Amino acid sequence: MGYDLNRRLVSEALGTAILVATVVGSGIMADKLSDDVAVSLLGNTIPTGAILVVLITLLGPISGAHFNPVVTMVFALRREIEVKAVPGYLVAQVLGGIVGTLIAHAMFDLPIFQISTTVRTGSGQWIAEVVATFGLLLTILVGIRSRHEAIPWLVGLYITAAYWFTASTSFANPAVAIARSLTNSFAGIRPADVPAFILAQLVGALLAMALANWMLAERRPISPPQETKSA
């Protein structure tokens, strides 16, 4: 990456803050405008997918546009980001996400500091987070190899879809999960449920990395059979 670490960390913090402000803010707005949960979820889904396209397009060239600790972890394990940058990325993402939640509350004149009471627990939720994170990381890792320029759209569209086909509405991001535990709104998650979500996200990310590494391994050319020479 051509940018120094400070600029990259600001990019990660800013991107995660805007992402979470969009998730929480659109959830608050959708809940205000409709009593239909399905309509509210749709109102939460579309802005989230859209902002991901914008953020990855704009900030990807600066920091890689991870905005997600498990993405950073996988890139570090694949030696595609220097290990010394990882702690800074993780702190920037978590703090950025928390700031995004607080800004969303401020925009809607809600109490700035909140704790969510929304219960999100159980095997179905945990499996959904494994699946959601697995799909996200597989989209990123395979997409980088096959259509690098399409990554913003691939990620935005994947998250848009995963909001609807996963039971958890696809958090797929430890920093976002932590930030959403601090809002008692449509997008919230009870703090007690966050550790299991993060564990599931780590599992999904590692499974995706293992599969992508195997699928994308360089193919070895098959040597033609040698002819047997007669004496």
Side-chain angles (χ1 to χ4, degrees), residues 29 34 45-46 112 119-120 125 127 143 149 159 182 189 194 224-226:
M29 177 67 82
S34 177
T45 302
I46 296 173
I112 302 297
V119 177
R120 298 181 189 263
Q125 296 279 308
I127 293 169
E149 72 284 358
I159 291 297
L182 300 177
I189 175 174
V194 170
Q226 296 183 357

Side-chain angles (χ1 to χ4, degrees), residues 2-229:
Y3 292 87
D4 64 64
L5 183 57
N6 287 336
R7 287 175 173 81
R8 289 156 58 191
L9 295 182
V10 169
S11 171
E12 286 296 301
L14 176 64
T16 313
I18 295 173
L19 172 60
V20 173
T22 302
V23 172
V24 175
S26 64
I28 295 169
M29 177 67 82
D31 200 34
K32 283 176 173 287
L33 295 178
S34 177
D35 294 327
D36 188 322
V37 177
V39 173
S40 294
L41 182 60
L42 185 62
N44 196 201
T45 302
I46 296 173
T48 302
I51 202 64
L52 280 168
V53 175
V54 174
L55 292 173
I56 296 170
T57 300
L58 295 180
L59 301 179
I62 299 175
S63 66
H66 297 184
F67 315 141
N68 187 333
V70 294
V71 172
T72 299
M73 176 194 72
V74 166
F75 274 63
L77 291 173
R78 288 165 58 91
R79 299 182 180 179
E80 295 177 12
I81 180 176
E82 65 273 34
V83 174
K84 66 179 182 180
V86 171
Y89 265 58
L90 301 187
V91 170
Q93 291 157 359
V94 171
L95 293 181
I98 292 172
V99 169
T101 295
L102 303 183
I103 290 173
H105 292 163
M107 288 192 293
F108 287 92
D109 292 324
L110 297 175
I112 302 297
F113 299 101
Q114 304 178 19
I115 298 294
S116 177
T117 58
T118 302
V119 177
R120 298 181 189 263
T121 189
S123 59
Q125 296 279 308
W126 303 330
I127 293 169
E129 278 303 291
V130 173
V131 171
T133 312
F134 173 86
L136 174 61
L137 267 295
L138 196 65
T139 297
I140 293 169
L141 296 175
V142 178
I144 287 173
R145 178 71 67 88
S146 59
R147 290 289 301 277
H148 187 278
E149 72 284 358
I151 283 293
W153 285 98
L154 293 174
V155 172
L157 290 171
Y158 174 79
I159 291 297
T160 300
Y163 254 82
W164 287 84
F165 77 76
T166 63
S168 63
T169 66
S170 184
F171 282 50
N173 184 331
V176 168
I178 291 169
R180 289 172 64 170
S181 73
L182 300 177
T183 180
N184 196 25
S185 64
F186 183 82
I189 175 174
R190 190 176 57 169
D193 299 332
V194 170
F197 264 52
I198 293 176
L199 178 60
Q201 291 157 2
L202 290 170
V203 171
L206 292 174
L207 289 174
M209 183 183 71
L211 180 59
N213 288 348
W214 176 76
M215 289 177 63
L216 301 176
E218 295 293 335
R219 292 179 296 176
R220 296 180 180 178
I222 299 175
S223 301
Q226 296 183 357
E227 295 181 3
T228 304
K229 295 183 178 180

